[in-house]
Amino acid sequence: EPEVTQTPSHQVTQMGQEVILRCVPISNHLYFYWYRQILGQKVEFLVSFYNNEISEKSEIFDDQFSVERPDGSNFTLKIRSTKLEDSAMYFCASRGGDSPLHFGNGTRLTVT
Amino acid sequence: GIQVEQSPPDLILQEGANSTLRCNFSDSVNNLQWFHQNPWGQLINLFYIPSGTKQNGRLSATTVATERYSLLYISSSQTTDSGVYFCAAYTGGFKTIFGAGTRLFVKA
């Protein structure tokens, strides 16, 4: 079964540094998403991406965040200047048309 | 915006017991998805169910969209069922709103 793949699985960075989280969605999917989950809490929507542009974003997704689909396969989330409170698990997801979300295994980001 | 509430927040079962998890949503939704987050943090898709009932082995789900709730049934629970169960509501836009989850522990 096709999978959403995310790299790296773990990322440790210092406060103020830029990080890029990478995702390869399922190849024939059209909608791409980033979610985050702070340890022990609920899964929170960050941003959705469709037709090469952001379709919706949450209040969490401020100017420090950006997303890109630089080629036909990758989907990235960039955090420009990380803060301690950005420490979380970041999940990428994709879906086709009217079909369920498929999640990657996540990237655990630790900001020190 | 839409609110998604899950109950109970925590559940401890003896292996072999049955349970029902509930998901209430405050407004109409286009669809509803149930996930199991295993102890390794992976989000596993269980059901994608806008209405009606679906079954997959020991698990089944029912969504009553007109009354704004969904139920997840786990029968003959096993220790591998432990983890957190989330429901997620699909709104009219591109956003999917998750509930806070039900944390299940199945004792051997």
Side-chain angles (χ1 to χ4, degrees), chain A residues 31 33 35 37 40-43 45 48 50 55-56 91 95 98-101 103 105, chain B residues 4 31 33 35 37 40-43 45 48 86 90 93-96 98-100 103:
Chain A
Y31 303 88
Y33 304 80
Y35 291 79
Q37 184 181 32
Q41 298 187 23
K42 69 163 75 172
V43 179
F45 169 80
S48 59
Y50 170 70
S55 47
E56 195 161 356
F91 289 102
R95 61 190 293 233
D98 184 13
S99 67
L101 281 169
F103 280 82
N105 288 339
Chain B
V4 180
N31 220 315
Q33 192 167 356
F35 295 89
Q37 187 167 41
W40 296 272
Q42 297 171 315
L43 285 164
N45 175 41
Y48 182 65
F86 290 103
Y90 287 64
F94 294 88
K95 186 185 293 191
T96 305
F98 279 70
R103 189 173 304 274

Side-chain angles (χ1 to χ4, degrees), chain B residues 8-23:
Chain B
D10 297 281
L11 186 58
I12 300 174
L13 295 177
Q14 193 66 45
E15 196 170 30
N18 303 328
S19 64
T20 301
L21 282 55
R22 187 176 180 102
C23 173

Side-chain angles (χ1 to χ4, degrees), chain A residues 11 13 36-39 79 82-90 108-112:
Chain A
Q11 174 90 49
T13 190
R36 81 170 186 191
Q37 184 181 32
I38 295 171
L39 186 63
I79 308 174
T82 50
K83 304 187 281 282
L84 293 176
E85 53 265 38
D86 293 328
S87 294
M89 180 77 93
Y90 288 81
R108 183 168 298 285
L109 177 65
T110 302
V111 183
T112 61

Side-chain angles (χ1 to χ4, degrees), chain B residues 47-102:
Chain B
F47 295 101
Y48 182 65
I49 180 169
S51 63
T53 297
K54 290 186 178 180
Q55 179 142 13
N56 184 3
R58 295 182 297 103
L59 302 182
S60 65
T62 296
T63 296
V64 184
T66 53
E67 297 187 22
R68 298 180 185 169
Y69 72 88
S70 185
L71 302 174
L72 178 70
Y73 305 97
I74 304 174
S75 64
S76 303
S77 57
Q78 300 175 358
T79 56
T80 51
D81 295 332
S82 296
V84 185
Y85 289 81
F86 290 103
C87 66
Y90 287 64
T91 65
F94 294 88
K95 186 185 293 191
T96 305
I97 306 298
F98 279 70
T102 292

